[in-house]
């Protein structure tokens, strides 16, 4: 590999070096640890609204962006560092003396700030961000390969925490990485091995107590690993882009099932930002509705605010085309991300879902949570949208949500996620009887 060859050449010239690398196609910066020196590595990851390797495909815009990144990196370095482009979208910063840890931490913060500032190119505003992972040698590895791996593991922790921070490598990260590798390999076979299934959680009218819909929730039961939490395998599916095929299966399966429900029962299906980047996604929705016979107005797709963080992509245009089909759109986990009134006013949402964290905090009497729920309800009503409160688990919470004005509720008080057979039986009961789901 070119960057390892470069690093080994530099090691012959001095005792302490660190290399900051942007690998082609990976949108990742890595401050490498080289053999034989107790230096610190930083691995920032370009997260955010438009990955640099995606922008770089669009020339000359991509070329200009790479040039601007190089300029900013050059401005960061002192006589103690060197910066250069290795080829493609691959850059490196070589730190001659890496013994001053505070200097490296300062470099990390300055790198985040410099890379994250907006880029104005050809009347386009481009945004990229940074997260950092830290590995210390020789404690975290005595070879370049080991230390890069250690810094990568710390990087993933920073990324999972939401980005814009750095974490230090810890030995247990290797065990977590091995678990992730095993899960990824198993997930690649889960669909063909018929290991995936759907549960359905009731959505209830807050005032009448009548069931008005189900949310389809993906479940995975592996024959050897057992039941695997969606919190573990969904992020892996998104990172490996397996979410495309899995998400299509979920949509088609759920639509087929919902077509047999009473006409007043709607179906909600979660859709990731990655799925909306697929040019064929609208055709997939059309096909799922056509093959199942489910009317478009009985399908509601749930998206999170992350969809609107990807400026310059086609996701918003895809949503508009889906809305034109008559499909409803719900904004999930509102208030937990980068909430903006702008996309609420531009996009025709039918429902705003209030995250369970606000419901739980409000039930404990926290005034800020109560104020937030009231504000979201008022905002939704002014825009002609309904609100669904998630995570309602007690009668007291249900009464509170009613008083705060939420239109729909969802949570264990009305029903846990149900296997398909139990959901079918529930749809056959009187409209206001959800006791079987509790």
């Amino acid at each position: 590999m070119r960057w390892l060859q470069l690093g080994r050449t530099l090691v012959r010239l001095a005792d302490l070096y660190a290399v900051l690398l942007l690998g082609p196609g990976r949108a990742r910066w890595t401050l490498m640890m080289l053999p034989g020196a107790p230096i610190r590595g930083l691995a920032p990851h370009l997260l955010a609204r438009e990955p640099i390797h995606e922008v770089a495909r669009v020339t000359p815009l991509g070329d200009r962006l790479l040039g601007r990144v190089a300029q900013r990196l050059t401005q960061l370095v002192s006589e103690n560092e060197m910066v250069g482009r290795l080829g493609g979208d691959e850059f490196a910063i070589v730190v001659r003396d890496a013994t001053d840890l505070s200097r490296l931490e300062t470099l990390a913060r300055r790198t985040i700030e410099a890379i994250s500032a907006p880029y104005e190119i050809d009347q386009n505003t481009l945004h990229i961000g940074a997260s950092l992972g830290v590995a210390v040698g020789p404690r975290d590895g005595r070879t370049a390969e080991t230390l890069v791996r250690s810094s990568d593991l710390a990087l993933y922790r920073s990324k999972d925490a939401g980005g814009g921070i750095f974490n230090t490598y810890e030995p247990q990260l290797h065990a977590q990485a091995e678990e992730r590798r095993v899960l990824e390999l198993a997930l690649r076979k889960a669909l063909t091995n018929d290991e995936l299934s759907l549960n359905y959680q009731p959505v209830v009218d807050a005032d009448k107590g009548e069931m008005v819909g189900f949310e389809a929730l993906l479940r995975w039961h592996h024959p050897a690993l057992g039941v695997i939490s969606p919190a573990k395998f969904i992020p892996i599916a998104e990172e490996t882009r397996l979410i495309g095929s899995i998400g299509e299966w979920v949509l088609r399966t759920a639509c087929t099932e919902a077509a047999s429900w009473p006409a007043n029962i709607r179906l909600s299906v979660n859709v990731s930002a990655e799925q909306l980047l697929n040019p064929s996604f609208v055709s997939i929705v059309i096909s799922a509705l056509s093959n199942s016979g489910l009317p478009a107005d009985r399908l509601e797709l749930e998206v999170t605010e992350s969809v609107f963080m990807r400026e310059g992509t086609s996701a918003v245009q895809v949503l508009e085309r889906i809305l034109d089909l008559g499909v409803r759109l719900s904004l999930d986990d509102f208030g937990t991300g980068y909430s903006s009134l702008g996309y609420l006013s531009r996009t025709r949402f039918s429902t705003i879902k209030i995250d369970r964290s606000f419901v739980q905090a409000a039930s404990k009497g926290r005034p800020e949570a109560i104020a937030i729920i009231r504000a979201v309800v008022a905002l939704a009503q002014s825009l002609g949208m309904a609100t669904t409160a998630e995570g309602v688990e007690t009668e007291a919470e249900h009464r509170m949500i009613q008083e705060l004005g939420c239109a729909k509720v969802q949570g264990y008080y009305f029903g846990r996620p149900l296997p398909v057979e139990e959901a079918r039986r529930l749809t056959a009961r009187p409209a206001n009887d959800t006791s079987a789901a509790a």
Side-chain angles (χ1 to χ4, degrees):
M1 299 175 67
R2 291 183 57 193
W3 52 269
L4 280 179
Q5 294 169 356
L6 170 65
R8 287 165 182 157
T9 301
L10 292 171
V11 153
R12 298 192 187 102
L13 302 179
D15 293 330
L16 300 176
Y17 275 96
V19 177
L20 182 60
L21 174 73
L22 173 61
R26 299 179 66 194
R28 179 177 302 167
W29 299 87
T30 305
L31 184 57
M32 280 190 48
M33 303 285 292
L34 298 179
I39 57 179
R40 174 166 297 191
L42 305 172
H45 185 90
L46 292 176
L47 300 170
R49 306 184 182 179
E50 191 68 13
I52 191 170
H53 62 282
E54 295 291 343
V55 179
R57 293 175 185 170
V58 186
T59 57
L61 182 62
D63 288 340
R64 293 199 179 103
L65 175 59
L66 294 173
R68 295 289 182 83
V69 171
Q71 288 176 1
R72 293 186 184 184
L73 289 174
T74 302
Q75 294 168 357
L76 285 175
V77 302
S78 66
E79 293 181 354
N80 188 47
E81 299 97 21
M82 295 183 294
V83 61
R85 183 180 180 187
L86 302 183
D89 55 0
E90 188 175 78
F91 293 83
I93 292 178
V94 179
V95 181
R96 180 180 299 276
D97 182 357
T99 55
D100 187 348
L101 301 183
S102 63
R103 159 66 184 158
L104 287 177
E105 291 176 357
T106 298
L107 177 61
R109 288 192 294 270
R110 291 175 59 200
T111 300
I112 292 177
E113 294 171 358
I115 294 176
S116 300
Y119 299 79
E120 299 291 340
I121 304 174
D122 294 344
Q123 298 182 336
N124 294 290
T125 301
L126 304 178
H127 298 261
I128 53 179
S131 298
L132 300 172
V134 178
V136 179
R139 184 194 68 188
D140 300 332
R142 295 181 176 272
T143 66
E145 291 86 351
T146 303
L147 287 169
V148 169
R149 176 63 171 162
S150 296
S151 61
D152 275 347
L153 294 176
L155 160 65
Y156 285 125
R157 170 171 284 189
S158 297
K159 180 182 176 183
D160 291 342
I165 61 173
F166 66 85
N167 276 279
T168 302
Y169 169 80
E170 297 175 359
Q172 63 263 33
L173 293 179
H174 270 292
Q176 295 171 5
E178 178 59 20
E179 179 189 28
R180 185 193 183 283
R181 187 188 69 83
V182 171
L183 288 178
E184 179 183 335
L185 292 175
L187 186 58
R188 292 185 180 278
K189 302 177 182 178
L191 198 56
T192 56
N193 290 347
D194 199 25
E195 297 167 5
L196 301 179
S197 62
L198 293 179
N199 281 5
Y200 298 88
Q201 186 171 32
V203 179
V204 176
D205 184 290
D207 292 327
K208 299 178 181 179
E210 298 177 355
M211 188 174 66
V212 295
F214 281 109
E215 179 181 359
L217 299 169
L218 183 61
R219 296 294 183 260
W220 180 19
H221 187 278
H222 188 273
L225 302 174
V227 176
I228 301 167
S229 168
K232 284 189 174 182
F233 74 81
I234 294 295
I236 295 175
E238 291 178 337
E239 291 173 15
T240 58
R241 299 193 175 181
L242 293 171
I243 196 65
S245 57
I246 292 175
E248 180 176 350
W249 176 85
V250 169
L251 181 62
R252 292 183 182 279
T253 303
C255 285
T256 299
E257 179 61 28
S260 65
W261 300 341
N264 64 311
I265 303 299
R266 289 197 172 98
L267 167 70
S268 297
V269 177
N270 293 279
V271 175
S272 76
E274 291 297 328
Q275 289 175 267
L276 294 176
L277 295 177
N278 179 3
S280 302
F281 185 69
V282 176
S283 298
I284 292 172
V285 174
I286 293 173
S287 175
L289 292 172
S290 175
N291 292 340
S292 65
L294 182 71
D297 63 356
R298 287 182 56 199
L299 174 62
E300 185 170 74
L301 299 183
E302 297 189 9
V303 300
T304 63
E305 295 166 303
S306 63
V307 169
F308 303 94
M309 296 301 102
R310 299 190 173 200
E311 294 185 1
T313 70
S314 59
V316 176
Q317 288 75 22
V318 169
L319 290 178
E320 289 297 327
R321 292 173 60 196
I322 290 173
L323 286 166
D324 289 340
L325 299 175
V327 174
R328 295 169 176 261
L329 191 62
S330 174
L331 182 60
D332 199 8
D333 299 335
F334 182 74
T336 61
Y338 304 93
S339 302
S340 168
L341 299 182
Y343 59 74
L344 278 179
S345 62
R346 293 193 305 268
T347 308
R348 293 170 284 158
F349 290 105
S350 60
T351 304
I352 299 176
K353 300 191 74 172
I354 300 172
D355 187 70
R356 67 182 64 247
S357 61
F358 296 114
V359 174
Q360 297 303 312
S363 70
K364 296 176 182 177
R366 295 180 183 172
E368 65 276 9
I370 295 173
I372 288 173
I373 294 176
R374 282 201 178 109
V376 172
V377 169
L379 174 65
Q381 290 175 345
S382 68
L383 294 173
M385 304 173 187
T387 48
T388 298
E390 297 182 289
V392 176
E393 299 181 355
T394 67
E395 182 179 355
E397 290 175 356
H398 178 215
R399 288 199 302 269
M400 175 194 70
I401 288 301
Q402 283 180 304
E403 293 171 359
L404 291 174
C406 290
K408 295 177 286 186
V409 291
Q410 186 176 352
Y412 284 6
Y413 178 65
F414 288 100
R416 296 174 178 269
L418 302 172
V420 61
E421 296 83 3
E422 293 184 35
R424 288 172 185 169
R425 288 197 292 269
L426 189 60
T427 62
R429 300 200 171 202
N432 61 351
D433 181 8
T434 59
S435 58

